[in-house]
Amino acid sequence: MQAIDWTGHSLRLLDQTKLPATIEWVECHTYQDVAWAIRHMIVRGAPAIGASAAYGLVLAAQGCRHELSPAICQETMVKAAAELRSTRPTAVNLAWAIERMLRAGAGLTGDSLAVRLEQEANAIAMEDVEVNRAIGRFGAELVPNAARILTHCNAGALATVGYGTALGVVRAAVEQGKKVEVFADETRPYLQGSRLTTFELMQDGIPVTLITDSMAGWLMARGGVDLVIVGADRVAANGDVANKIGTYTLAVLAKEHQIPFYVACPLSTLDLSIRSGEEIIIEEREAREVTHVGGVPLAPEATRVWNPAFDVTPARLVTALITEKGLVYPPFDSKLMALR
Ligand code: MRU
């Protein structure tokens, strides 16, 4: 399953706001189209928005391919980078990909800039799938046969360029011949678990059972979960993990029930410039995501709402990080520094 498709002159994105009811693609011809698609969650998931932003910069460079003035071209690139970066604040992969692209294009202009940036965006996309496969291989060691795995949100192929991080671990375990069963948290309010994770796993024939977020504790108490695996949007130098709202609750529950809590984390999700999760900006989204489902109101009109899209799980609740370079156990600080 692939949600991102680069045609050479446009970026096609599988519209994740419409899944699973409708399979529809949105075609982006300009960097502004890509910024709009990221902001409106047509494409979502930390690695997927990073790769999309990279292609957004290719579109910006292609737009000024025939611009004779290097200064004007440079100005466009700076503007495009700023607009793409501002779309969503929490996932560091976005800034990581944009900075990598700007470094790749430094000193170039016109046609050579467009060609070089396209190469770099393709490399980011290709590496993402390789990284996810490596995360899968390392993570699969943690998955016993007949494991019941609880996951939150969607950290699968739809959230990446392909294969997935947390769901990459599930896929790798299945490829190794293990029988696994996944419990997918619904993931209120955006419902990435019920809309996307179930859809993606069912397409692959991997057994998945949907639960609402509030059922996770009781499922654990009944002995129904062997391990939890989630993705990440930004991991601080001390190992604190920002991920989809509700992840922290799961980590606390896992600790109480002595269930291992693993975080699949590509190195592009590491932010070693911040010491702890306290410095992570948590995106707050519009009230309507909480008050409405599919256009139907669930709360009285004008209800006051707080809608943080992410939370921070303290490193002390994380059993291990699963990276493409191997498993990282606490204490995280010096080990994470050594990885980059
Ligand atoms: O708001 P979203 O859907 O972009 O949030 C996605 C998540 O929180 C994922 O768990 C995270 O980005 C990791 S995806 C490999």
Side-chain angles (χ1 to χ4, degrees):
M1 177 173 297
Q2 204 160 348
I4 297 176
D5 176 31
W6 173 245
T7 66
H9 49 82
S10 65
L11 182 66
R12 294 178 72 245
L13 298 168
L14 181 58
D15 186 346
Q16 299 194 34
T17 65
K18 303 250 170 77
L19 289 174
T22 313
I23 311 267
E24 224 172 273
W25 290 79
V26 169
E27 188 153 4
C28 302
H29 297 278
T30 65
Y31 77 81
Q32 290 95 338
D33 291 346
V34 177
W36 177 87
I38 296 173
R39 219 182 274 283
H40 290 87
M41 311 263 289
I42 303 296
V43 59
R44 32 67 51 197
I49 61 176
S52 299
Y55 283 117
L57 288 177
V58 180
L59 291 171
Q62 289 183 345
C64 61
R65 202 168 216 154
H66 304 297
E67 177 57 61
L68 294 178
S69 155
I72 293 181
C73 193
Q74 175 64 15
E75 204 180 296
T76 306
M77 295 311 294
V78 169
K79 217 172 126 199
E83 183 164 342
L84 288 161
R85 198 194 301 262
S86 72
T87 50
R88 297 195 72 192
T90 305
V92 72
N93 305 61
L94 188 61
W96 170 86
I98 291 170
E99 265 143 41
R100 181 169 158 175
M101 292 291 286
L102 293 180
R103 274 197 308 277
L108 300 175
T109 188
D111 205 42
S112 47
L113 175 67
V115 171
R116 178 69 194 90
L117 290 193
E118 185 174 13
Q119 280 170 355
E120 195 64 15
N122 286 337
I124 287 174
M126 212 179 66
E127 285 167 27
D128 183 58
V129 181
E130 284 165 10
V131 159
N132 295 341
R133 286 196 175 269
I135 287 174
R137 280 192 298 278
F138 286 116
E141 292 168 22
L142 303 166
V143 179
N145 191 32
R148 294 150 311 164
I149 303 168
L150 177 60
T151 192
H152 191 67
C153 193
N154 171 266
L158 290 168
T160 60
V161 181
Y163 203 69
T165 60
L167 297 190
V169 174
V170 171
R171 288 200 164 89
V174 170
E175 283 164 18
Q176 289 176 3
K178 290 173 187 165
K179 270 197 164 32
V180 300
E181 182 182 358
V182 176
F183 284 91
D185 265 357
E186 173 186 45
T187 317
R188 275 276 289 156
Y190 215 75
L191 308 176
Q192 288 94 332
S194 64
R195 295 191 303 106
L196 308 176
T197 295
T198 50
F199 175 73
E200 186 178 323
L201 291 176
M202 286 166 78
Q203 296 266 323
D204 272 12
I206 297 173
V208 55
T209 301
L210 175 65
I211 59 170
T212 69
D213 303 346
S214 54
M215 294 169 189
W218 184 232
L219 181 66
M220 289 183 188
R222 287 169 44 113
V225 178
D226 299 302
L227 64 160
V228 179
I229 314 178
V230 295
D233 287 85
R234 191 183 292 246
V235 175
N238 71 344
D240 288 352
V241 173
N243 190 48
K244 181 51 56 194
I245 189 75
T247 302
Y248 168 60
T249 316
L250 272 195
V252 172
L253 285 168
K255 183 89 171 176
E256 167 69 16
H257 296 95
Q258 287 151 27
I259 294 167
F261 183 88
Y262 297 114
V263 177
C265 167
L267 297 184
S268 55
T269 303
L270 268 188
D271 184 356
L272 297 179
S273 74
I274 55 169
R275 272 181 305 158
S276 81
E278 276 176 39
E279 293 172 64
I280 299 175
I281 297 169
I282 299 296
E283 176 183 7
E284 293 194 13
R285 295 186 60 85
E286 54 167 341
R288 203 178 158 84
E289 284 180 4
V290 176
T291 56
H292 288 66
V293 169
V296 177
L298 302 177
E301 218 183 304
T303 301
R304 199 180 324 149
V305 167
W306 180 50
N307 183 17
F310 301 94
D311 58 27
V312 176
T313 298
R316 66 172 186 281
L317 298 178
V318 176
T319 309
L321 297 172
I322 311 168
T323 79
E324 65 269 35
K325 293 208 176 151
L327 306 176
V328 185
Y329 288 92
F332 295 112
D333 308 58
S334 56
K335 294 177 198 157
L336 292 182
M337 287 290 178
L339 278 180
R340 273 292 266 286

PDB file of all heavy atoms in Angstrom, residues 122-158:
ATOM      1  N   ASN A 122      13.704  11.890  -4.010  1.00  0.00           N
ATOM      2  CA  ASN A 122      13.585  10.454  -4.299  1.00  0.00           C
ATOM      3  C   ASN A 122      14.414   9.631  -3.310  1.00  0.00           C
ATOM      4  O   ASN A 122      13.992   8.548  -2.890  1.00  0.00           O
ATOM      5  CB  ASN A 122      14.046  10.157  -5.730  1.00  0.00           C
ATOM      6  CG  ASN A 122      13.031  10.611  -6.758  1.00  0.00           C
ATOM      7  OD1 ASN A 122      11.844  10.747  -6.450  1.00  0.00           O
ATOM      8  ND2 ASN A 122      13.477  10.858  -7.976  1.00  0.00           N
ATOM      9  N   ALA A 123      15.584  10.174  -2.927  1.00  0.00           N
ATOM     10  CA  ALA A 123      16.432   9.454  -1.965  1.00  0.00           C
ATOM     11  C   ALA A 123      15.743   9.389  -0.606  1.00  0.00           C
ATOM     12  O   ALA A 123      15.727   8.337   0.052  1.00  0.00           O
ATOM     13  CB  ALA A 123      17.792  10.146  -1.846  1.00  0.00           C
ATOM     14  N   ILE A 124      15.136  10.505  -0.182  1.00  0.00           N
ATOM     15  CA  ILE A 124      14.416  10.519   1.109  1.00  0.00           C
ATOM     16  C   ILE A 124      13.309   9.458   1.086  1.00  0.00           C
ATOM     17  O   ILE A 124      13.130   8.694   2.030  1.00  0.00           O
ATOM     18  CB  ILE A 124      13.841  11.938   1.391  1.00  0.00           C
ATOM     19  CG1 ILE A 124      14.984  12.892   1.761  1.00  0.00           C
ATOM     20  CG2 ILE A 124      12.789  11.898   2.484  1.00  0.00           C
ATOM     21  CD1 ILE A 124      14.569  14.356   1.917  1.00  0.00           C
ATOM     22  N   ALA A 125      12.575   9.410  -0.025  1.00  0.00           N
ATOM     23  CA  ALA A 125      11.460   8.461  -0.133  1.00  0.00           C
ATOM     24  C   ALA A 125      11.957   7.016  -0.120  1.00  0.00           C
ATOM     25  O   ALA A 125      11.409   6.159   0.592  1.00  0.00           O
ATOM     26  CB  ALA A 125      10.668   8.743  -1.405  1.00  0.00           C
ATOM     27  N   MET A 126      13.004   6.771  -0.889  1.00  0.00           N
ATOM     28  CA  MET A 126      13.523   5.395  -0.974  1.00  0.00           C
ATOM     29  C   MET A 126      14.109   4.944   0.361  1.00  0.00           C
ATOM     30  O   MET A 126      13.850   3.839   0.834  1.00  0.00           O
ATOM     31  CB  MET A 126      14.603   5.346  -2.047  1.00  0.00           C
ATOM     32  CG  MET A 126      14.700   4.047  -2.784  1.00  0.00           C
ATOM     33  SD  MET A 126      15.994   4.227  -4.017  1.00  0.00           S
ATOM     34  CE  MET A 126      17.424   4.395  -2.966  1.00  0.00           C
ATOM     35  N   GLU A 127      14.872   5.838   0.986  1.00  0.00           N
ATOM     36  CA  GLU A 127      15.480   5.499   2.274  1.00  0.00           C
ATOM     37  C   GLU A 127      14.419   5.222   3.335  1.00  0.00           C
ATOM     38  O   GLU A 127      14.616   4.390   4.211  1.00  0.00           O
ATOM     39  CB  GLU A 127      16.369   6.655   2.772  1.00  0.00           C
ATOM     40  CG  GLU A 127      17.680   6.754   2.030  1.00  0.00           C
ATOM     41  CD  GLU A 127      18.400   8.078   2.319  1.00  0.00           C
ATOM     42  OE1 GLU A 127      18.187   8.661   3.405  1.00  0.00           O
ATOM     43  OE2 GLU A 127      19.160   8.528   1.436  1.00  0.00           O
ATOM     44  N   ASP A 128      13.307   5.959   3.250  1.00  0.00           N
ATOM     45  CA  ASP A 128      12.263   5.766   4.266  1.00  0.00           C
ATOM     46  C   ASP A 128      11.786   4.310   4.272  1.00  0.00           C
ATOM     47  O   ASP A 128      11.626   3.699   5.329  1.00  0.00           O
ATOM     48  CB  ASP A 128      11.086   6.722   4.017  1.00  0.00           C
ATOM     49  CG  ASP A 128      10.029   6.591   5.099  1.00  0.00           C
ATOM     50  OD1 ASP A 128      10.368   6.792   6.278  1.00  0.00           O
ATOM     51  OD2 ASP A 128       8.875   6.236   4.774  1.00  0.00           O
ATOM     52  N   VAL A 129      11.583   3.750   3.099  1.00  0.00           N
ATOM     53  CA  VAL A 129      11.108   2.361   3.043  1.00  0.00           C
ATOM     54  C   VAL A 129      12.194   1.412   3.574  1.00  0.00           C
ATOM     55  O   VAL A 129      11.904   0.490   4.351  1.00  0.00           O
ATOM     56  CB  VAL A 129      10.689   1.985   1.595  1.00  0.00           C
ATOM     57  CG1 VAL A 129      10.181   0.562   1.545  1.00  0.00           C
ATOM     58  CG2 VAL A 129       9.638   2.946   1.081  1.00  0.00           C
ATOM     59  N   GLU A 130      13.453   1.678   3.217  1.00  0.00           N
ATOM     60  CA  GLU A 130      14.560   0.828   3.717  1.00  0.00           C
ATOM     61  C   GLU A 130      14.670   0.902   5.231  1.00  0.00           C
ATOM     62  O   GLU A 130      14.842  -0.109   5.913  1.00  0.00           O
ATOM     63  CB  GLU A 130      15.892   1.269   3.098  1.00  0.00           C
ATOM     64  CG  GLU A 130      16.048   0.829   1.652  1.00  0.00           C
ATOM     65  CD  GLU A 130      17.176   1.574   0.936  1.00  0.00           C
ATOM     66  OE1 GLU A 130      17.958   2.282   1.602  1.00  0.00           O
ATOM     67  OE2 GLU A 130      17.250   1.431  -0.296  1.00  0.00           O
ATOM     68  N   VAL A 131      14.562   2.132   5.739  1.00  0.00           N
ATOM     69  CA  VAL A 131      14.629   2.350   7.199  1.00  0.00           C
ATOM     70  C   VAL A 131      13.497   1.573   7.888  1.00  0.00           C
ATOM     71  O   VAL A 131      13.708   0.898   8.899  1.00  0.00           O
ATOM     72  CB  VAL A 131      14.522   3.878   7.490  1.00  0.00           C
ATOM     73  CG1 VAL A 131      14.065   4.165   8.906  1.00  0.00           C
ATOM     74  CG2 VAL A 131      15.859   4.556   7.208  1.00  0.00           C
ATOM     75  N   ASN A 132      12.306   1.646   7.320  1.00  0.00           N
ATOM     76  CA  ASN A 132      11.170   0.973   7.939  1.00  0.00           C
ATOM     77  C   ASN A 132      11.341  -0.547   7.922  1.00  0.00           C
ATOM     78  O   ASN A 132      10.965  -1.234   8.875  1.00  0.00           O
ATOM     79  CB  ASN A 132       9.865   1.370   7.240  1.00  0.00           C
ATOM     80  CG  ASN A 132       9.570   2.843   7.426  1.00  0.00           C
ATOM     81  OD1 ASN A 132      10.107   3.476   8.329  1.00  0.00           O
ATOM     82  ND2 ASN A 132       8.737   3.393   6.561  1.00  0.00           N
ATOM     83  N   ARG A 133      11.949  -1.040   6.857  1.00  0.00           N
ATOM     84  CA  ARG A 133      12.191  -2.493   6.807  1.00  0.00           C
ATOM     85  C   ARG A 133      13.210  -2.891   7.878  1.00  0.00           C
ATOM     86  O   ARG A 133      13.082  -3.941   8.525  1.00  0.00           O
ATOM     87  CB  ARG A 133      12.674  -2.924   5.421  1.00  0.00           C
ATOM     88  CG  ARG A 133      11.540  -2.900   4.419  1.00  0.00           C
ATOM     89  CD  ARG A 133      11.879  -3.671   3.149  1.00  0.00           C
ATOM     90  NE  ARG A 133      10.714  -3.697   2.282  1.00  0.00           N
ATOM     91  CZ  ARG A 133       9.782  -4.641   2.297  1.00  0.00           C
ATOM     92  NH1 ARG A 133       9.893  -5.671   3.121  1.00  0.00           N
ATOM     93  NH2 ARG A 133       8.743  -4.593   1.490  1.00  0.00           N
ATOM     94  N   ALA A 134      14.222  -2.033   8.096  1.00  0.00           N
ATOM     95  CA  ALA A 134      15.224  -2.335   9.129  1.00  0.00           C
ATOM     96  C   ALA A 134      14.580  -2.275  10.519  1.00  0.00           C
ATOM     97  O   ALA A 134      14.825  -3.139  11.373  1.00  0.00           O
ATOM     98  CB  ALA A 134      16.387  -1.350   9.027  1.00  0.00           C
ATOM     99  N   ILE A 135      13.738  -1.264  10.740  1.00  0.00           N
ATOM    100  CA  ILE A 135      13.003  -1.168  12.010  1.00  0.00           C
ATOM    101  C   ILE A 135      12.169  -2.441  12.197  1.00  0.00           C
ATOM    102  O   ILE A 135      12.124  -3.018  13.281  1.00  0.00           O
ATOM    103  CB  ILE A 135      12.098   0.097  12.021  1.00  0.00           C
ATOM    104  CG1 ILE A 135      12.970   1.339  12.190  1.00  0.00           C
ATOM    105  CG2 ILE A 135      11.032   0.022  13.103  1.00  0.00           C
ATOM    106  CD1 ILE A 135      12.212   2.664  12.069  1.00  0.00           C
ATOM    107  N   GLY A 136      11.546  -2.867  11.120  1.00  0.00           N
ATOM    108  CA  GLY A 136      10.732  -4.087  11.167  1.00  0.00           C
ATOM    109  C   GLY A 136      11.556  -5.293  11.604  1.00  0.00           C
ATOM    110  O   GLY A 136      11.147  -6.056  12.476  1.00  0.00           O
ATOM    111  N   ARG A 137      12.734  -5.439  10.998  1.00  0.00           N
ATOM    112  CA  ARG A 137      13.581  -6.608  11.329  1.00  0.00           C
ATOM    113  C   ARG A 137      14.006  -6.580  12.794  1.00  0.00           C
ATOM    114  O   ARG A 137      13.906  -7.583  13.487  1.00  0.00           O
ATOM    115  CB  ARG A 137      14.828  -6.637  10.440  1.00  0.00           C
ATOM    116  CG  ARG A 137      14.591  -7.203   9.055  1.00  0.00           C
ATOM    117  CD  ARG A 137      15.903  -7.483   8.348  1.00  0.00           C
ATOM    118  NE  ARG A 137      16.721  -6.304   8.141  1.00  0.00           N
ATOM    119  CZ  ARG A 137      16.565  -5.424   7.125  1.00  0.00           C
ATOM    120  NH1 ARG A 137      15.616  -5.623   6.229  1.00  0.00           N
ATOM    121  NH2 ARG A 137      17.352  -4.379   7.007  1.00  0.00           N
ATOM    122  N   PHE A 138      14.463  -5.412  13.271  1.00  0.00           N
ATOM    123  CA  PHE A 138      14.888  -5.333  14.679  1.00  0.00           C
ATOM    124  C   PHE A 138      13.696  -5.529  15.616  1.00  0.00           C
ATOM    125  O   PHE A 138      13.788  -6.215  16.626  1.00  0.00           O
ATOM    126  CB  PHE A 138      15.570  -3.993  14.974  1.00  0.00           C
ATOM    127  CG  PHE A 138      16.962  -3.907  14.406  1.00  0.00           C
ATOM    128  CD1 PHE A 138      17.279  -2.974  13.422  1.00  0.00           C
ATOM    129  CD2 PHE A 138      17.966  -4.760  14.860  1.00  0.00           C
ATOM    130  CE1 PHE A 138      18.566  -2.886  12.898  1.00  0.00           C
ATOM    131  CE2 PHE A 138      19.264  -4.680  14.334  1.00  0.00           C
ATOM    132  CZ  PHE A 138      19.564  -3.743  13.353  1.00  0.00           C
ATOM    133  N   GLY A 139      12.584  -4.902  15.253  1.00  0.00           N
ATOM    134  CA  GLY A 139      11.416  -4.962  16.123  1.00  0.00           C
ATOM    135  C   GLY A 139      10.818  -6.360  16.195  1.00  0.00           C
ATOM    136  O   GLY A 139      10.295  -6.764  17.245  1.00  0.00           O
ATOM    137  N   ALA A 140      10.901  -7.092  15.092  1.00  0.00           N
ATOM    138  CA  ALA A 140      10.279  -8.427  15.061  1.00  0.00           C
ATOM    139  C   ALA A 140      10.904  -9.367  16.105  1.00  0.00           C
ATOM    140  O   ALA A 140      10.244 -10.292  16.583  1.00  0.00           O
ATOM    141  CB  ALA A 140      10.390  -9.016  13.658  1.00  0.00           C
ATOM    142  N   GLU A 141      12.159  -9.080  16.486  1.00  0.00           N
ATOM    143  CA  GLU A 141      12.801  -9.900  17.541  1.00  0.00           C
ATOM    144  C   GLU A 141      12.028  -9.810  18.862  1.00  0.00           C
ATOM    145  O   GLU A 141      12.128 -10.688  19.707  1.00  0.00           O
ATOM    146  CB  GLU A 141      14.219  -9.370  17.836  1.00  0.00           C
ATOM    147  CG  GLU A 141      15.218  -9.551  16.729  1.00  0.00           C
ATOM    148  CD  GLU A 141      16.501  -8.747  17.001  1.00  0.00           C
ATOM    149  OE1 GLU A 141      16.787  -8.399  18.163  1.00  0.00           O
ATOM    150  OE2 GLU A 141      17.197  -8.451  16.005  1.00  0.00           O
ATOM    151  N   LEU A 142      11.304  -8.723  19.027  1.00  0.00           N
ATOM    152  CA  LEU A 142      10.590  -8.488  20.288  1.00  0.00           C
ATOM    153  C   LEU A 142       9.204  -9.127  20.291  1.00  0.00           C
ATOM    154  O   LEU A 142       8.506  -9.101  21.299  1.00  0.00           O
ATOM    155  CB  LEU A 142      10.417  -6.982  20.514  1.00  0.00           C
ATOM    156  CG  LEU A 142      11.691  -6.141  20.540  1.00  0.00           C
ATOM    157  CD1 LEU A 142      11.357  -4.662  20.414  1.00  0.00           C
ATOM    158  CD2 LEU A 142      12.454  -6.413  21.831  1.00  0.00           C
ATOM    159  N   VAL A 143       8.818  -9.660  19.149  1.00  0.00           N
ATOM    160  CA  VAL A 143       7.445 -10.157  18.995  1.00  0.00           C
ATOM    161  C   VAL A 143       7.431 -11.685  19.096  1.00  0.00           C
ATOM    162  O   VAL A 143       7.917 -12.373  18.201  1.00  0.00           O
ATOM    163  CB  VAL A 143       6.860  -9.729  17.618  1.00  0.00           C
ATOM    164  CG1 VAL A 143       5.446 -10.258  17.432  1.00  0.00           C
ATOM    165  CG2 VAL A 143       6.896  -8.210  17.469  1.00  0.00           C
ATOM    166  N   PRO A 144       6.886 -12.219  20.186  1.00  0.00           N
ATOM    167  CA  PRO A 144       6.804 -13.674  20.283  1.00  0.00           C
ATOM    168  C   PRO A 144       5.725 -14.232  19.357  1.00  0.00           C
ATOM    169  O   PRO A 144       4.843 -13.490  18.919  1.00  0.00           O
ATOM    170  CB  PRO A 144       6.434 -13.916  21.751  1.00  0.00           C
ATOM    171  CG  PRO A 144       5.920 -12.635  22.271  1.00  0.00           C
ATOM    172  CD  PRO A 144       6.337 -11.528  21.353  1.00  0.00           C
ATOM    173  N   ASN A 145       5.832 -15.517  19.080  1.00  0.00           N
ATOM    174  CA  ASN A 145       4.777 -16.146  18.268  1.00  0.00           C
ATOM    175  C   ASN A 145       3.448 -16.021  19.014  1.00  0.00           C
ATOM    176  O   ASN A 145       3.426 -16.054  20.237  1.00  0.00           O
ATOM    177  CB  ASN A 145       5.126 -17.613  18.001  1.00  0.00           C
ATOM    178  CG  ASN A 145       4.202 -18.197  16.953  1.00  0.00           C
ATOM    179  OD1 ASN A 145       3.748 -17.490  16.042  1.00  0.00           O
ATOM    180  ND2 ASN A 145       3.889 -19.473  17.086  1.00  0.00           N
ATOM    181  N   ALA A 146       2.385 -15.835  18.285  1.00  0.00           N
ATOM    182  CA  ALA A 146       1.026 -15.702  18.832  1.00  0.00           C
ATOM    183  C   ALA A 146       0.843 -14.429  19.656  1.00  0.00           C
ATOM    184  O   ALA A 146      -0.055 -14.348  20.498  1.00  0.00           O
ATOM    185  CB  ALA A 146       0.639 -16.933  19.652  1.00  0.00           C
ATOM    186  N   ALA A 147       1.695 -13.428  19.397  1.00  0.00           N
ATOM    187  CA  ALA A 147       1.615 -12.192  20.179  1.00  0.00           C
ATOM    188  C   ALA A 147       0.338 -11.416  19.878  1.00  0.00           C
ATOM    189  O   ALA A 147      -0.131 -11.373  18.746  1.00  0.00           O
ATOM    190  CB  ALA A 147       2.821 -11.301  19.864  1.00  0.00           C
ATOM    191  N   ARG A 148      -0.171 -10.794  20.938  1.00  0.00           N
ATOM    192  CA  ARG A 148      -1.288  -9.859  20.789  1.00  0.00           C
ATOM    193  C   ARG A 148      -0.709  -8.462  20.999  1.00  0.00           C
ATOM    194  O   ARG A 148      -0.220  -8.143  22.091  1.00  0.00           O
ATOM    195  CB  ARG A 148      -2.375 -10.182  21.804  1.00  0.00           C
ATOM    196  CG  ARG A 148      -3.005 -11.567  21.492  1.00  0.00           C
ATOM    197  CD  ARG A 148      -3.505 -12.251  22.698  1.00  0.00           C
ATOM    198  NE  ARG A 148      -2.545 -12.287  23.782  1.00  0.00           N
ATOM    199  CZ  ARG A 148      -2.860 -12.571  25.041  1.00  0.00           C
ATOM    200  NH1 ARG A 148      -4.106 -12.855  25.347  1.00  0.00           N
ATOM    201  NH2 ARG A 148      -1.933 -12.600  25.983  1.00  0.00           N
ATOM    202  N   ILE A 149      -0.708  -7.689  19.905  1.00  0.00           N
ATOM    203  CA  ILE A 149      -0.018  -6.388  19.892  1.00  0.00           C
ATOM    204  C   ILE A 149      -1.052  -5.269  19.884  1.00  0.00           C
ATOM    205  O   ILE A 149      -1.935  -5.248  19.017  1.00  0.00           O
ATOM    206  CB  ILE A 149       0.854  -6.260  18.614  1.00  0.00           C
ATOM    207  CG1 ILE A 149       1.853  -7.417  18.536  1.00  0.00           C
ATOM    208  CG2 ILE A 149       1.566  -4.918  18.564  1.00  0.00           C
ATOM    209  CD1 ILE A 149       2.550  -7.532  17.171  1.00  0.00           C
ATOM    210  N   LEU A 150      -0.902  -4.359  20.827  1.00  0.00           N
ATOM    211  CA  LEU A 150      -1.789  -3.191  20.822  1.00  0.00           C
ATOM    212  C   LEU A 150      -1.067  -2.016  20.175  1.00  0.00           C
ATOM    213  O   LEU A 150       0.106  -1.754  20.477  1.00  0.00           O
ATOM    214  CB  LEU A 150      -2.173  -2.831  22.265  1.00  0.00           C
ATOM    215  CG  LEU A 150      -3.043  -1.587  22.459  1.00  0.00           C
ATOM    216  CD1 LEU A 150      -4.376  -1.700  21.734  1.00  0.00           C
ATOM    217  CD2 LEU A 150      -3.291  -1.350  23.950  1.00  0.00           C
ATOM    218  N   THR A 151      -1.733  -1.316  19.253  1.00  0.00           N
ATOM    219  CA  THR A 151      -1.133  -0.130  18.647  1.00  0.00           C
ATOM    220  C   THR A 151      -2.122   1.029  18.687  1.00  0.00           C
ATOM    221  O   THR A 151      -3.328   0.826  18.912  1.00  0.00           O
ATOM    222  CB  THR A 151      -0.631  -0.404  17.215  1.00  0.00           C
ATOM    223  OG1 THR A 151       0.189   0.692  16.785  1.00  0.00           O
ATOM    224  CG2 THR A 151      -1.772  -0.586  16.223  1.00  0.00           C
ATOM    225  N   HIS A 152      -1.585   2.211  18.475  1.00  0.00           N
ATOM    226  CA  HIS A 152      -2.396   3.428  18.574  1.00  0.00           C
ATOM    227  C   HIS A 152      -2.181   4.253  17.313  1.00  0.00           C
ATOM    228  O   HIS A 152      -1.088   4.242  16.749  1.00  0.00           O
ATOM    229  CB  HIS A 152      -1.932   4.215  19.807  1.00  0.00           C
ATOM    230  CG  HIS A 152      -2.843   5.343  20.193  1.00  0.00           C
ATOM    231  ND1 HIS A 152      -4.118   5.139  20.677  1.00  0.00           N
ATOM    232  CD2 HIS A 152      -2.657   6.689  20.189  1.00  0.00           C
ATOM    233  CE1 HIS A 152      -4.669   6.316  20.947  1.00  0.00           C
ATOM    234  NE2 HIS A 152      -3.803   7.264  20.654  1.00  0.00           N
ATOM    235  N   CYS A 153      -3.182   4.975  16.885  1.00  0.00           N
ATOM    236  CA  CYS A 153      -3.094   5.812  15.683  1.00  0.00           C
ATOM    237  C   CYS A 153      -2.768   4.926  14.471  1.00  0.00           C
ATOM    238  O   CYS A 153      -3.108   3.736  14.437  1.00  0.00           O
ATOM    239  CB  CYS A 153      -2.052   6.910  15.867  1.00  0.00           C
ATOM    240  SG  CYS A 153      -2.102   8.212  14.610  1.00  0.00           S
ATOM    241  N   ASN A 154      -2.092   5.490  13.492  1.00  0.00           N
ATOM    242  CA  ASN A 154      -1.632   4.698  12.352  1.00  0.00           C
ATOM    243  C   ASN A 154      -0.175   5.039  12.085  1.00  0.00           C
ATOM    244  O   ASN A 154       0.148   6.173  11.709  1.00  0.00           O
ATOM    245  CB  ASN A 154      -2.456   4.985  11.089  1.00  0.00           C
ATOM    246  CG  ASN A 154      -1.830   4.325   9.861  1.00  0.00           C
ATOM    247  OD1 ASN A 154      -1.050   4.932   9.138  1.00  0.00           O
ATOM    248  ND2 ASN A 154      -2.126   3.054   9.646  1.00  0.00           N
ATOM    249  N   ALA A 155       0.687   4.069  12.356  1.00  0.00           N
ATOM    250  CA  ALA A 155       2.119   4.216  12.063  1.00  0.00           C
ATOM    251  C   ALA A 155       2.475   3.126  11.058  1.00  0.00           C
ATOM    252  O   ALA A 155       3.376   2.315  11.255  1.00  0.00           O
ATOM    253  CB  ALA A 155       2.945   4.110  13.335  1.00  0.00           C
ATOM    254  N   GLY A 156       1.714   3.128   9.979  1.00  0.00           N
ATOM    255  CA  GLY A 156       1.854   2.080   8.971  1.00  0.00           C
ATOM    256  C   GLY A 156       2.336   2.631   7.636  1.00  0.00           C
ATOM    257  O   GLY A 156       2.911   3.720   7.560  1.00  0.00           O
ATOM    258  N   ALA A 157       2.055   1.866   6.580  1.00  0.00           N
ATOM    259  CA  ALA A 157       2.444   2.289   5.231  1.00  0.00           C
ATOM    260  C   ALA A 157       1.811   3.640   4.885  1.00  0.00           C
ATOM    261  O   ALA A 157       2.402   4.462   4.196  1.00  0.00           O
ATOM    262  CB  ALA A 157       2.013   1.233   4.220  1.00  0.00           C
ATOM    263  N   LEU A 158       0.600   3.862   5.390  1.00  0.00           N
ATOM    264  CA  LEU A 158      -0.096   5.109   5.074  1.00  0.00           C
ATOM    265  C   LEU A 158       0.559   6.324   5.724  1.00  0.00           C
ATOM    266  O   LEU A 158       0.375   7.449   5.280  1.00  0.00           O
ATOM    267  CB  LEU A 158      -1.557   5.014   5.535  1.00  0.00           C
ATOM    268  CG  LEU A 158      -2.442   4.052   4.744  1.00  0.00           C
ATOM    269  CD1 LEU A 158      -3.765   3.826   5.466  1.00  0.00           C
ATOM    270  CD2 LEU A 158      -2.688   4.579   3.339  1.00  0.00           C
TER     271      LEU A 158
END
